[in-house]
Amino acid sequence: MLFTDLKLSEPLLKAITDQGYTTPSPVQAQAIPFILEGRDMLAGAQTGTGKTAGFTLPMLEILTRKPFNSKAPRHIRVLILTPTRELAAQVGESVKTYGKYLPYKSAVVFGGVGIQPQITTLRNGVDILIATPGRLLDHMSQGTVDLRHVEILILDEADRMLDMGFVKDIRRVISILPQKRQNLLFSATYSDEIKTLCESILRNPAIVEVARRNTSSELVTQKVILVDCAKKSALFGHLVKENKWEQVLVFTRTKHQANKLSDYLQKIGVSAAAIHGNKSQAARTKALSDFKSGSVKILVATDIAARGLDIDQLPHVVNLELPNIAEDYVHRIGRTGRAGNEGEAISLVCVDEFDYLKGIEKLINRKLDREIIAGFEPDPSIMAMPIQQGRGGGGGRGNSSRPQSAKPQGQKRDGGSHRSEGRSNESRREDNRRGR
Ligand code: AMP
């Protein structure tokens, strides 16, 4: 199948050709015809599958069906909700890219940046609004956004929005939208919560499912290196230098650990930047572009911050710390080995994380090879300690060998103080801002 078979009009086909694409990806080939028919849709697709163009192209096509009058006031006809600022910005870029030969205006609104310019943009009129839920609610409560003319609602990465605690916000937004509208929901996973949301929003949806992104792709070599918690940063620095790695995305569970590793790497002369929910938007954008351009070799990220980042086909993904949610492991390693390129996913695992490792191996249905690196052999006398007590993966409070029961606390988002970001800061910060 070619894009020209998809009943898209000339301005869109031209923009697609400009991008150098000729063949729709599976999610595009399946989703575009349903969306053009006006159907609601539930699409199981992750970042990297081409899902953004999968909804952007038909959405733009639908807009062209009504005559466009440049003199008439513009109304928001399409609302796209995304969990993170980065994803909102990326979707905004796609809308611009594919809509470049069309007369529609789009705007992206998210927290962490001044609200006033957004108010001005909205007042001047936009046709397509891409927003994170928290900032959109800010605009709603200030009366600076008019959603009474929305024809299409798109929830991108709906599962992640629920993970981040946005369900009430989403429902509040939906409650003020016109009843008659088309709804498209994209989600990488299909939990009970997503099911409930779908049942309450979608009407007779078309269901599109594309293969999970390389869950156990043969192209990704996965292995575990056993090491003491306190030696993880040093081991990682050693691996970077030994193997002359030029571009590595490293995951940590906590923002604290992301900062700590990034600081350590810079100290030993390896260029690194951290990206997480406490970083300003400007700092995140800079870290990402430095990483993409190669001026920063190592990008250290938490799961939430990394979600939706348009970086893929990386040669190496390293888990400095295993995620406490087994599914996040799959998301993390999906950053490497894409589109026919080989990749390597390495997890540095200490005794505290053995239960997490077990959970991951159960999920991916395979046992990962274990390795030990000379000079970084784990000390067998060190006993496991619950992760929440904060020994941490890269040094934390040192090499405590206090005997403990080995159980890290449950594989849930709502763990203790050192839990992964989950709902926490990203959305809470949005909440705080909303109060202002
Ligand atoms: P997404 O899953 O939307 O984040 O898209 C992942 C990447 O695939 C982006 O860099 C897109 O520009 C690219 N892409 C989207 N559609 C196609 C296509 N039909 N052919 C090749 N690349 C594509």
Side-chain angles (χ1 to χ4, degrees):
M1 183 191 264
L2 297 172
F3 274 111
T4 41
D5 301 323
L6 278 174
K7 296 193 180 133
L8 297 168
S9 50
E10 208 41 55
L12 288 170
L13 291 175
K14 198 158 170 247
I16 294 167
T17 307
D18 288 356
Q19 287 301 105
Y21 306 150
T22 49
T23 319
S25 71
V27 71
Q28 292 161 358
Q30 289 180 57
I32 292 174
F34 283 130
I35 301 175
L36 290 177
E37 278 173 28
R39 296 268 309 263
D40 277 8
M41 197 174 71
L42 164 62
Q46 300 181 335
T47 307
T49 54
K51 68 180 169 65
T52 317
F55 60 74
T56 304
L57 291 166
M59 167 280 275
L60 288 165
E61 181 68 36
I62 290 173
L63 292 188
T64 66
R65 289 177 183 169
K66 275 194 187 161
F68 180 77
N69 177 355
S70 61
K71 302 229 165 59
R74 289 171 191 265
H75 296 299
I76 296 168
R77 296 175 61 194
V78 179
L79 173 64
I80 306 174
L81 290 181
T82 72
T84 62
R85 301 158 189 181
E86 282 83 4
L87 189 60
Q90 280 164 30
V91 171
E93 282 306 308
S94 287
V95 170
K96 284 216 169 85
T97 300
Y98 298 116
K100 68 183 186 185
Y101 299 115
L102 291 169
Y104 307 110
K105 277 195 186 161
S106 59
V108 181
V109 302
F110 49 68
V113 294
I115 197 164
Q116 202 51 47
Q118 297 176 355
I119 293 175
T120 309
T121 307
L122 290 170
R123 197 183 298 135
N124 290 338
V126 299
D127 307 280
I128 302 153
L129 181 64
I130 303 110
T132 53
R135 182 50 69 92
L136 182 62
L137 284 179
D138 282 342
H139 284 287
M140 279 164 53
S141 61
Q142 296 188 27
T144 47
V145 67
D146 178 4
L147 299 174
R148 288 172 304 171
H149 302 273
V150 169
E151 297 164 32
I152 306 176
L153 168 71
I154 301 168
L155 301 178
D156 193 13
E157 302 203 354
D159 50 347
R160 204 37 71 135
M161 285 199 273
L162 297 188
D163 278 356
M164 290 170 73
F166 284 136
V167 70
K168 276 199 183 135
D169 296 354
I170 293 172
R171 290 193 184 280
R172 273 180 63 195
V173 172
I174 289 175
S175 71
I176 66 153
L177 298 181
Q179 289 286 318
K180 190 172 166 313
R181 55 168 204 273
Q182 185 177 8
N183 303 289
L184 312 174
L185 188 146
F186 286 75
S187 177
T189 54
Y190 191 61
S191 63
D192 286 348
E193 236 187 328
I194 285 286
K195 203 167 157 226
T196 312
L197 186 69
C198 290
E199 281 164 1
S200 65
I201 298 177
L202 305 178
R203 278 157 280 197
N204 183 28
I207 301 199
V208 164
E209 175 82 58
V210 295
R212 255 189 109 79
R213 192 179 64 203
N214 70 47
T215 305
S216 54
S217 166
E218 275 82 64
L219 290 170
V220 181
T221 316
Q222 301 173 59
K223 70 177 177 195
V224 161
I225 300 181
L226 299 173
V227 61
D228 292 337
C229 294
K231 292 187 191 148
K232 283 188 177 186
S233 294
L235 171 58
F236 179 72
H238 168 81
L239 291 172
V240 172
K241 289 187 168 174
E242 251 329 88
N243 298 304
K244 302 192 170 54
W245 285 340
E246 288 300 323
Q247 197 184 34
V248 191
L249 179 62
V250 191
F251 286 94
T252 62
R253 274 191 303 273
T254 66
K255 292 165 285 198
H256 170 71
Q257 198 55 253
N259 285 337
K260 223 174 134 180
L261 179 66
S262 162
D263 292 347
Y264 170 76
L265 291 171
Q266 288 174 42
K267 226 168 46 199
I268 63 164
V270 176
S271 58
I275 186 164
H276 54 64
N278 281 5
K279 293 269 177 182
S280 70
Q281 187 56 40
R284 293 202 224 182
T285 309
K286 182 170 186 320
L288 182 61
S289 65
D290 287 349
F291 182 62
K292 280 184 172 179
S293 72
S295 62
V296 157
K297 283 187 187 179
I298 316 291
L299 187 65
V300 193
T302 55
D303 291 283
I304 294 288
R307 178 78 179 194
L309 290 183
D310 186 20
I311 33 172
D312 49 14
Q313 302 186 359
L314 290 167
H316 308 283
V317 166
V318 171
N319 297 311
L320 187 85
E321 300 173 311
L322 286 181
N324 53 340
I325 312 281
E327 281 82 5
D328 284 346
Y329 175 83
V330 178
H331 287 300
R332 289 179 178 189
I333 71 161
R335 297 288 180 176
T336 181
R338 283 195 208 171
N341 293 318
E342 287 186 23
E344 188 176 37
I346 298 178
S347 301
L348 309 189
V349 178
C350 74
V351 63
D352 300 346
E353 298 171 302
F354 285 176
D355 276 9
Y356 291 167
L357 181 58
K358 248 194 258 164
I360 289 163
E361 290 183 328
K362 202 167 151 215
L363 179 77
I364 63 172
N365 201 19
R366 75 188 249 204
K367 195 166 157 63
L368 298 173
D369 291 339
R370 270 90 164 144
E371 253 183 39
I372 287 172
I373 306 286
F376 296 91
E377 297 84 355
D379 175 350
S381 72
I382 296 177
M383 305 288 280
M385 181 172 173
I387 301 259
Q388 266 75 28
Q389 290 192 11
R391 175 153 54 190
R397 292 183 208 149
N399 212 354
S400 163
S401 57
R402 186 150 60 99
Q404 288 277 350
S405 94
K407 266 227 159 326
Q409 278 154 31
Q411 304 227 348
K412 282 191 150 198
R413 288 263 174 223
D414 44 351
S417 60
H418 271 245
R419 68 194 175 86
S420 61
E421 282 185 294
R423 142 94 194 154
S424 63
N425 295 298
E426 189 66 43
S427 52
R428 230 170 253 143
R429 286 170 65 217
E430 296 233 16
D431 285 348
N432 292 341
R433 253 177 265 125
R434 201 175 311 145
R436 269 188 219 157

